[in-house]
Amino acid sequence: MTPPTSPEALLRTLTPLLAAESEAEAAAAGVEPGDLEQAVWLRLLERIRDDGAPERPAEWLRRAVRAEARRCRRAALRERPYRDDPASGPHGGEAADSPEASALDAERRRTIRAAVTRTPGRCPRLLAAMLDPADPTYREIAGALGMSQGSLGPMRSRCLGCLRRMLAAEVPVPGRRGRVR
């Protein structure tokens, strides 16, 4: 089979295959099929830009879906909540209306907002819109940022991953206990 020559033909040819492959791999990877599809479309666009269209697009697509699913599984295995925080519950063991709980909540919000402003690219605007107390819809956020609604999911994932890494770096590493020799 000769590969499609135009991007439109490639899109028409691969869309049903990508949907089926993503649906099959998404549950095991712990991601939404749509997120997996968008990540693979992005890989394909990068591939076309750098090296041109793959010679065997269907075969390339199957490998790309599986590789992206493996990447998502590895990322999920590495991400762990920080459980040693004495205030890791909704109100940290303090009464919800106590001054201590209010102070801890305010400090968490300040830390998150400060980290959001340090994220790269368009992430600060996207994350600020998602943290808005008015709780805007994806459509409203996409309109405010001037981007397509379909690209919000992958961008949100990248921005939250960046934010997660930034906040994890701020958590002190537990020190050694006892005598150090």
Side-chain angles (χ1 to χ4, degrees):
M1 174 180 158
T2 53
T5 55
S6 72
E8 294 82 17
L10 192 62
L11 180 69
R12 270 193 314 278
T13 304
L14 295 180
T15 296
L17 177 61
L18 178 57
E21 291 287 330
S22 296
E23 187 70 37
E25 293 288 332
V31 296
E32 294 292 321
D35 289 342
L36 197 54
E37 280 184 54
Q38 287 190 355
V40 173
W41 281 129
L42 182 62
R43 275 185 173 208
L44 180 61
L45 289 174
E46 290 170 345
R47 161 73 193 255
I48 290 172
R49 181 193 65 204
D50 296 340
D51 303 325
E55 283 186 36
R56 293 150 97 180
E59 187 177 312
W60 179 91
L61 184 119
R62 286 184 185 100
R63 284 194 320 266
V65 169
R66 284 172 182 75
E68 190 62 31
R70 279 191 306 273
R71 187 196 64 74
C72 290
R73 279 193 296 272
R74 281 193 309 268
L77 289 173
R78 286 190 309 260
E79 294 172 358
R80 298 277 186 245
Y82 187 66
R83 296 193 198 300
D84 294 339
D85 183 8
S88 61
H91 294 288
E94 299 289 334
D97 57 348
S98 73
E100 292 85 4
S102 297
L104 288 173
D105 286 344
E107 180 61 29
R108 281 189 201 105
R109 284 192 301 274
R110 275 192 300 274
T111 302
I112 290 171
R113 293 250 181 228
V116 163
T117 61
R118 294 189 319 263
T119 55
R122 298 190 322 187
C123 289
R125 289 184 59 211
L126 172 66
L127 293 172
M130 296 186 86
L131 290 171
D132 188 343
D135 196 23
T137 64
Y138 263 33
R139 180 175 293 188
E140 294 167 341
I141 293 172
L145 297 178
M147 58 190 304
S148 73
Q149 187 175 345
S151 63
L152 280 180
M155 185 176 172
R156 180 203 65 184
S157 295
R158 287 189 298 273
C159 293
L160 287 175
C162 181
L163 183 64
R164 189 177 299 115
R165 287 186 299 276
M166 289 171 72
L167 291 172
E170 292 178 7
V171 175
V173 177
R176 292 183 137 181
R177 295 175 186 226
R179 295 179 76 176
V180 178
R181 297 179 188 187

